Amino acid sequence: MTLERKLSREQIAERAAQELPDGAYVNLGWGIPNLIAAYVPEKAGVIFHSENGILGMGPRARPGEEDYDLVDAMKAPVTILPGGAYFSQVDAHMMTRGGHLDVAVLGGLQVSERGDLANWKVPGAKFSGGIGGAMDIAVGSRRLIITMEHVTKNGEPKIVKTCTYPLTALQCVTTIVTDLAVIDVVPGGLQLREVAPGVSPEDVQRVTEPKLAIAARTPEMRLRAQ
Amino acid sequence: MTLERKLSREQIAERAAQELPDGAYVNLGWGIPNLIAAYVPEKAGVIFHSENGILGMGPRARPGEEDYDLVDAMKAPVTILPGGAYFSQVDAHMMTRGGHLDVAVLGGLQVSERGDLANWKVPGAKFSGGIGGAMDIAVGSRRLIITMEHVTKNGEPKIVKTCTYPLTALQCVTTIVTDLAVIDVVPGGLQLREVAPGVSPEDVQRVTEPKLAIAARTPEMRLRAQ
Amino acid sequence: MNNKIYPSVDAAVADVSDGASLMFGGFGGAGFPNELIRAVGRKGARNLFAISNNCGTGEGELGVLFKNKQIRRVIAAFPGPQSTYFQQQVEAGEVEYELVPQGILCERMRAYGAGIPAFYSPVGVGTEVAQGKEERSINGRRCILESALGADFALIRALKADPLGNLIYRKAARNFNPVMATAAKVTIVEVNEIVPVGALDPETIVTPSVFVHRIVQVGGAHDA
Amino acid sequence: MNNKIYPSVDAAVADVSDGASLMFGGFGGAGFPNELIRAVGRKGARNLFAISNNCGTGEGELGVLFKNKQIRRVIAAFPGPQSTYFQQQVEAGEVEYELVPQGILCERMRAYGAGIPAFYSPVGVGTEVAQGKEERSINGRRCILESALGADFALIRALKADPLGNLIYRKAARNFNPVMATAAKVTIVEVNEIVPVGALDPETIVTPSVFVHRIVQVGGAHDA
């Protein structure tokens, strides 16, 4: 049922983009997070950080204008905006681990009710790509938003009581944005903040392992195109 | 007796300058060490480091050409040579502590037979200027040369069995250059390498607390002007 | 966009209140945030905790705040022979101070800025700066445990800023300023010049904008 | 003056012998010392210990050395999905590897370069990277002890060098190169261009010459 009503990856990104305050310094991870920048208006003055040593990262390079010395952490040719800066990887991670980024948005495989995150390896997989910068980013960002599908391909909850996948960091997640809901990690557990259009709080609870705190009225997400 | 034959501070500096290999990266401390650069020929390619963030430091600025944003660690207006670089104090001390400098030359109040150094405070003094960069430099330099008068104003040995002055660092000194001798700190103690012109090994031993290892023949220092 | 540009040094330090901890850039007369220091003097906040390489030159630099008796506690590497007011107040028991080796002083700031709560270092082993610190042998080398050092405010001086807060410095006036920018909740910079966004080459920015929160344009570096 | 300029990449790596430890700069296809890597391939040193963010892209980058079976042990943060030869050799038990969070990988190098033998970090606490590491609570925060990481050689790539070894980089090709330069006994850099002493602005040098031991001029960054 809910699987039919779920938002697209682009819509999850659009909703997550609304979480970024004007002027925020933000790191975006692989997957859905990488779609977010397209939904952030230029006038918001959000400044994107890439852990390979860029601040003020702009959109992907247009075809024919790629410069392979100017790539993001996903190896994709990007651009730099006026006011941007280059620095070394060690300085880039000084920014992540040192608490200098206002928000990071990462993909997730599992999030626990305490805000633990697992996002870098499926159990039993011989090789994931590796850890990369995820652990430093998860530990250090002032706010950590996880964007992901609410359930696995087999319909199993990804928001769980305890992560069973290899962990990225403990008690690091602030907010989860999925195709069904926006959920905040608060003292004592998880608070449902918004539901996707046409989805009820009960629908969300049904595919979420831990018990959600649900207010008398839960607003629907506002999205540009539904 | 030896007090009459002793070298000037400039001559100590001249002899210490001979210890710097061509192309070496060198930090010079306060006092006699600060006189050394004048005795290093330009063609030797020695590169001077200042712990406030300069590599390739040149001579003092000529009168009328001072730039007070370009000072050495002693606050004196200096110059920068072609191929020099500016960096932050934290990077400057990465160079000292990280073992990147070939040689440092510091002044000394006492040096022990194990190569312990005391050079930043007289016991009982209310205020020395402070520690400054001496501890980081003493600990990290690959070779540490101490230039000083051989004895105190009262004629007491400054090369001692055990330092009684507040310590700068343990077992850090490689070589001592004084107005009477060049002495190396070697496994097991102190080895007399050279004597000042007209000074005998016995003269040196007489004003040195620990026992010196003395070879059958100890050469005299070679100095430009005696 | 956040507006980081403040109309005056006084506006920029208006929330520096009693008991605040402050880092002050500068070394050897170069790169001191003298205008911001004087503004803290006018503001009159007391009982301050100052972190600085030195402790003033007569009435100059940090001397302003010592003369006003605004500072209660200091961490410094080289108070300096001319730190007259500081020395008087230490003797009178009015100021507490801790002496730290200079490289360790800036390394502790960097650790704070880099999210490293503590580190082991061989500097100071066997000396009076090791007193009260945990000692441990690492790979056969004696080390002591040093802790990260942060502050409520960093007051720094740079040559140019853009409105986002990217900074470049001038010659040896760089010194402690970039590392202090990374180690404070609020970094306030006084600059000779504010240039438009995009005017600084992204390859040569020394302090990227993420570390800078408030910018004030003041006069040249050595005006009185 | 020491002459740091080498006539060829092969001459620059001639003393890389069996069992040596090497750091390799580069990230995401940018800033890899590909000419030096190929020279190590030709030299044929075996049983190498490689420290690198990733482990090759097919036969490219570190893939050259894995294909030749020259590497016995690796520390990496992101071996990468295209690290074919690496993956085969790990499965076959021919290569040992340790996975390290990326920020900790470069921080461990910086610690080595800065004379800091070990540090505490909250990164990886409670995860598999904490296995076998000492845990300790610092100011109420769980941390693990990380050790400095150095190597016999750092192979890096820069845009320009002067004959003394001062370096500047290009855009995001900077990445791991500057920190690796500080963490090796011998740092070897391949550059697009060698410029005269004095041609680089002392304000904008990223790697000062003290960290660089050998310089080789090669072609552009993305030649094959």
Side-chain angles (χ1 to χ4, degrees), chain D residues 118-203:
Chain D
F119 60 90
Y120 287 103
S121 149
V123 176
V125 166
T127 77
E128 63 184 64
V129 307
Q131 282 167 19
K133 289 180 182 157
E134 175 186 318
E135 185 176 319
R136 172 170 180 165
S137 175
I138 298 182
N139 302 326
R141 190 160 197 204
R142 291 172 65 187
C143 289
I144 52 181
L145 186 63
E146 300 284 359
S147 59
L149 182 61
D152 298 323
F153 297 92
L155 272 46
I156 66 168
R157 168 117 204 161
L159 179 67
K160 294 182 186 182
D162 70 18
L164 299 175
N166 291 300
L167 304 181
I168 61 169
Y169 302 86
R170 185 166 181 274
K171 303 188 178 183
R174 192 182 300 194
N175 58 64
F176 280 87
N177 290 298
V179 72
M180 287 179 173
T182 70
K185 292 192 195 88
V186 179
T187 294
I188 312 174
V189 61
E190 58 171 71
V191 295
N192 291 31
E193 195 184 349
I194 299 175
V195 300
V197 171
L200 299 176
D201 178 353
E203 297 283 7

Side-chain angles (χ1 to χ4, degrees), chain B residues 62-77:
Chain B
R62 276 180 289 209
E65 295 178 4
E66 298 91 346
D67 178 339
Y68 290 92
D69 278 346
L70 178 45
V71 292
D72 66 9
M74 278 131 272
K75 225 172 160 164

Side-chain angles (χ1 to χ4, degrees), chain A residues 80-102:
Chain A
I80 191 167
L81 298 176
Y86 300 114
F87 36 84
S88 74
Q89 203 111 12
V90 76
D91 287 347
H93 277 297
M94 199 167 165
M95 296 177 194
T96 66
R97 207 178 38 238
H100 303 283
L101 299 181
D102 297 300

